[in-house]
Amino acid sequence: AGAHDRTRRGGSLARPGGLPDPARIVLGDALAPLPSADVGDRLPGPVDGVLDYTASGFVLLPTSTPARTDGGVRPQSAPPAGRDELSVGTLNLENLSPDTPSDRVNALASDLVDGLGSPDLVTVTGVEDNSGAADDGTVAADQTVSELITAISAAGGPAYEWRSIAPHNNADGGEHGGNGRLGFLFRTDRGLAFSDRPSGSSDLGAPGVPDLAVAPTHVQADGKGGARLTLSPGRVAPADPAWAESRKPLAGELTWRGRRIIVIANHWDARTSADPIAYGRRQPFDRPSEARREAQARSLAAFVRTLRRTAPGANVIVTGNLGTGDGSAALRSLTAPGAGLRDLASDLAPQDRYTADSGGVAEDLDHILLSPALAKRPHKYRIVHRASEFADRAGDHDPSVVRITLAPPAGPASVRVPQPGGPAERPDAPLPLP
């Protein structure tokens, strides 16, 4: 009673800064088991118990297990891309490794195939090395990725290829020993190709091949009015102090039917607090991670500004778990003039704008942002609510996907055909407007 910031499916939306609605009541199981419940489920009878206080706030401890009724909330799905649409999704794999139970691997594969409609490109976070959390010096993740790609095929998806950069052991934060990384899953059967630079066959340690874990990718003009990356995939500003002991952004250059696209995957520092948030002694509470994310946002925004100065019409997509919501100072660094990216989540109704549920609070932590050249094209963006609201997926984030129309609309026979070698033939040239 009294709650007003609700999701369309019955959850409780975070208030600015991630604050919970004060009408929220948290139940604990210290005195009696609690039923497994999804967002939207209801407890129809009285819930009597003892009011307790923990480090995070007030908790009601029921003295008997309350009854539960199904609220009818079901996992969502997005349609696949059309013939002239490029689809790009983002998926948080939450520390996937060969130790991950097969049912969870299958659920993640279903998120990609059934939930996102098997996008052309998927940026993923949370891929751990072949030994998982074991701190044994392993950094390779080929077994982890192989199991995921196999599960995707078993779920009816296409054959995906993979690009990533292995970190140095325990250098990128996340679960100790896990060496989590970012990566790109992409399919080549619909016109998408990865621009490997150095080539995919180059051996690290060979003459002229840098240590990609620490070597930054740079932007260079291609001589035709466009911008290209010196390393693809390549890490963005890995030596910047903002990324110390954090997962560095991973940039990749791809072509979609000859059109160059630069995609940057991210996994910024998690939202943490030094003080209890809702009912702690110190108010306002201290949240030092905010300053870290703001520094990371400035670092990434500087890279995007360089891209857009080099090629104002560059097709740039920024994705991933940014750990922060719409309107934050960190996101404003990416959407302000200069970087000029458009956060697609901000176009959604507030009731639909969330990707994670923590302690009963729905937040928009995962994002897809487009450069102006892409944002002006017809596109359809959707957060697919199929993970965060369900008890058997506790801690998982909802995936999201954008479908961008990149082919020119059909026109009359008198439409002028660009001459070979002309400006319109550049890989990142804008298409004629309708």
Side-chain angles (χ1 to χ4, degrees):
H4 58 89
D5 295 323
R6 305 295 296 275
T7 73
R8 198 180 303 276
R9 287 155 63 90
S12 177
L13 276 173
R15 294 188 169 190
L19 288 171
D21 191 313
R24 181 189 65 152
I25 298 172
V26 179
L27 306 185
D29 62 358
L31 303 181
L34 295 177
S36 179
D38 300 329
V39 166
D41 290 356
R42 306 187 76 83
L43 307 180
V47 181
D48 299 323
V50 178
L51 188 64
D52 192 16
Y53 184 85
T54 70
S56 60
F58 294 99
V59 179
L60 182 68
L61 308 177
T63 53
S64 61
T65 301
R68 178 195 70 90
T69 58
D70 189 337
V73 172
R74 299 293 180 261
Q76 293 181 334
S77 296
R83 183 176 63 86
D84 293 328
E85 292 178 324
L86 170 70
S87 55
V88 178
T90 184
L91 182 62
N92 193 328
L93 299 180
E94 300 288 348
N95 298 333
L96 180 72
S97 78
D99 297 330
T100 302
S102 60
D103 59 345
R104 176 168 164 73
V105 178
N106 293 337
L108 293 169
S110 178
D111 287 344
L112 190 152
V113 177
D114 300 324
L116 299 182
S118 299
D120 299 293
L121 174 70
V122 185
T123 64
V124 299
T125 64
V127 175
E128 292 198 338
D129 62 40
N130 293 335
S131 64
D135 190 10
D136 57 4
T138 300
V139 295
D142 55 305
Q143 296 173 27
T144 304
V145 175
S146 177
E147 290 188 13
L148 176 63
I149 291 177
T150 298
I152 291 171
S153 296
Y160 277 93
E161 296 187 27
W162 169 259
R163 295 292 187 275
S164 185
I165 292 176
H168 288 172
N169 189 42
N170 287 329
D172 279 13
E175 186 175 39
H176 192 75
N179 293 308
R181 78 227 35 217
L182 311 169
F184 302 107
L185 287 168
F186 63 99
R187 52 189 294 187
T188 60
D189 59 315
R190 288 185 5 103
L192 189 67
F194 203 95
S195 302
D196 292 294
R197 199 173 296 122
S199 69
S201 61
S202 298
D203 294 325
L204 291 183
V209 179
D211 180 353
L212 298 180
V214 296
T217 187
H218 296 291
V219 178
Q220 72 180 191
D222 66 0
K224 301 177 182 179
R228 66 200 294 267
L229 300 179
T230 57
L231 296 174
S232 173
R235 292 183 153 197
V236 176
D240 190 319
W243 306 111
E245 298 184 357
S246 296
R247 284 143 292 209
K248 286 70 174 171
L250 185 69
E253 180 182 317
L254 304 97
T255 57
W256 164 258
R257 301 175 183 173
R259 223 172 277 280
R260 183 181 292 131
I261 299 167
I262 294 176
V263 183
I264 309 171
N266 294 266
H267 192 164
W268 296 359
D269 279 12
R271 175 178 285 177
T272 57
S273 177
D275 300 318
I277 295 176
Y279 302 105
R281 176 170 60 90
R282 285 182 290 272
Q283 296 293 335
F285 56 88
D286 182 29
R287 180 173 271 168
S289 64
E290 291 285 355
R292 285 275 292 177
R293 281 190 300 281
E294 290 173 17
Q296 291 171 346
R298 290 193 296 269
S299 176
L300 181 62
F303 184 80
V304 174
R305 285 196 298 271
T306 300
L307 267 170
R308 296 200 56 218
R309 281 197 302 267
T310 306
N315 300 313
V316 183
I317 304 176
V318 172
T319 74
N321 180 1
L322 306 186
T324 190
D326 177 46
S328 69
L331 270 181
R332 287 198 299 272
S333 294
L334 298 180
T335 58
L341 299 176
R342 180 170 177 176
D343 178 23
L344 299 184
S346 65
D347 295 334
L348 298 179
Q351 303 97 307
D352 301 316
R353 196 186 307 158
Y354 59 95
T355 64
D357 190 299
S358 176
V361 180
E363 301 182 80
D364 58 329
L365 303 184
D366 305 79
H367 299 262
I368 297 179
L369 301 96
L370 303 181
S371 64
L374 289 176
K376 72 181 181 181
R377 299 183 183 276
H379 59 269
K380 301 171 185 176
Y381 170 73
R382 184 168 178 184
I383 297 172
V384 184
H385 301 301
R386 57 182 293 114
S388 69
E389 299 168 316
F390 300 95
D392 62 349
R393 301 289 302 273
D396 285 1
H397 289 210
D398 291 325
S400 55
V401 64
V402 61
R403 306 196 311 273
I404 309 168
T405 301
L406 287 179
S414 60
V415 171
R416 185 178 64 86
V417 177
Q419 295 300 311
E425 294 294 295
R426 296 198 307 262
D428 59 350
L431 290 166
L433 295 174

